Amino acid sequence: MLSFTEENYIKAIYKLSEDGDGAVTTNAIAEVMQTKAASVSDMLRRLNEKEIINYVKYRGVTLTNSGQKTALQLVRKHRLWEVFLVDKLKFNWDEVHEVAEELEHITSDLLIRRLDEFLGYPKYDPHGDPIPTEDGFMAVKQQVLLSELAPGESGLVMGVKDSQPLFLQYLDKVGIYLGAKLKVTDKMEYDNSLEISIDHKKQLSVSAEVSKNIFVSR
């Protein structure tokens, strides 16, 4: 059995390894977990003893096969609970992350299977992120960041890179949602902000920072 804290570390290492190349550094983990490097080192030694990670001091961290499997199951539970909270309990998509952070630690495999079945085996969570299957398979979407589109190009909103509540609330306010068709009508050379249309109707100007956090199909 793993503690909640150990599971949170495993998920943090998994996400950091997704975003970067090679081993994950102790300092990167400390930043994500908002703790001191010394505390991270103590935890890494524990996870190494449990054969969840491969850890050599000063050389970074990688997940073992067992650690990868554990991480994917945590991601699966988290994203299934987010679907449940939005679809069945009518939470907004900016309200579910913290609640799902608690629910993902429930250990009942049967409960998660029943939840998956009850929800109709969803493939994506409310933020557009793929949900791993029970055996660890996760679909790969053909998507790019909105910032990568040139004027005249368009795509459907597939997900968000930043799922912080303030960003999601901003998207709600300006009318950008999963499945919306965005077309880049102009790009400002000065600051790389974009002029876009939403569903061929609403015209909007978005900053470079916003465009770097929206995934669209191509």
Side-chain angles (χ1 to χ4, degrees):
M1 293 290 293
L2 296 166
S3 69
F4 285 14
T5 303
E6 288 171 332
E7 289 186 339
N8 286 337
Y9 268 85
I10 293 166
K11 197 170 73 167
I13 294 167
Y14 171 78
K15 289 186 174 180
L16 286 167
S17 64
E18 270 195 318
D19 294 338
D21 297 320
V24 176
T25 67
T26 300
N27 287 338
I29 299 169
E31 184 176 351
V32 169
M33 299 301 295
Q34 299 182 329
T35 189
K36 297 178 181 178
S39 299
V40 174
S41 295
D42 289 340
M43 175 60 73
L44 296 182
R45 281 192 285 271
R46 284 164 54 185
L47 293 175
N48 190 61
E49 289 171 1
K50 294 184 177 184
E51 300 183 346
I52 296 295
I53 62 170
N54 298 306
Y55 173 55
V56 178
K57 197 172 183 180
Y58 307 122
R59 294 186 183 178
V61 181
T62 58
L63 292 171
T64 63
N65 288 337
S66 175
Q68 184 82 0
K69 181 178 179 181
T70 299
L72 285 169
Q73 289 306 307
L74 287 167
V75 171
R76 169 177 164 79
K77 288 187 284 185
H78 183 101
R79 293 176 180 174
L80 282 172
W81 283 119
E82 287 192 334
V83 174
F84 174 76
L85 291 168
V86 170
D87 288 1
K88 305 303 179 182
L89 298 188
K90 306 307 178 185
F91 279 68
N92 292 329
W93 67 339
D94 60 287
E95 298 174 323
V96 295
H97 180 72
E98 289 186 2
V99 182
E101 286 278 297
E102 300 294 326
L103 294 169
E104 71 186 30
H105 297 291
I106 295 173
T107 57
S108 172
D109 292 335
L110 178 59
L111 173 61
I112 300 306
R113 285 193 209 104
R114 294 281 175 85
L115 177 64
D116 194 15
E117 180 183 10
F118 175 68
L119 295 172
Y121 305 102
K123 290 183 170 58
Y124 301 100
D125 75 6
H127 309 114
D129 293 316
I131 299 173
T133 62
E134 189 172 2
D135 59 6
F137 173 77
M138 187 154 55
V140 177
K141 295 191 291 185
Q142 300 300 314
Q143 60 187 22
V144 296
L145 292 171
L146 177 61
S147 59
E148 297 176 41
L149 296 186
E153 292 186 318
S154 61
L156 301 180
V157 177
M158 302 291 287
V160 292
K161 188 175 182 181
D162 181 357
S163 58
Q164 295 297 314
L166 285 177
F167 183 64
L168 299 177
Q169 290 163 17
Y170 165 81
L171 295 183
D172 281 338
K173 187 172 183 178
V174 300
I176 295 176
Y177 59 94
L178 291 182
K181 185 170 184 178
L182 305 184
K183 181 177 180 179
V184 177
T185 57
D186 201 2
K187 185 171 187 176
M188 306 297 114
E189 291 186 15
Y190 173 68
D191 60 358
N192 289 321
S193 61
L194 300 179
E195 296 289 335
I196 64 172
S197 67
I198 305 173
D199 294 331
H200 301 294
K201 299 174 184 177
K202 185 176 180 179
Q203 301 293 318
L204 180 70
S205 176
V206 296
S207 69
E209 185 66 22
V210 167
S211 69
K212 290 177 182 177
N213 280 290
I214 299 174
F215 288 112
V216 295
S217 62
R218 195 168 207 173

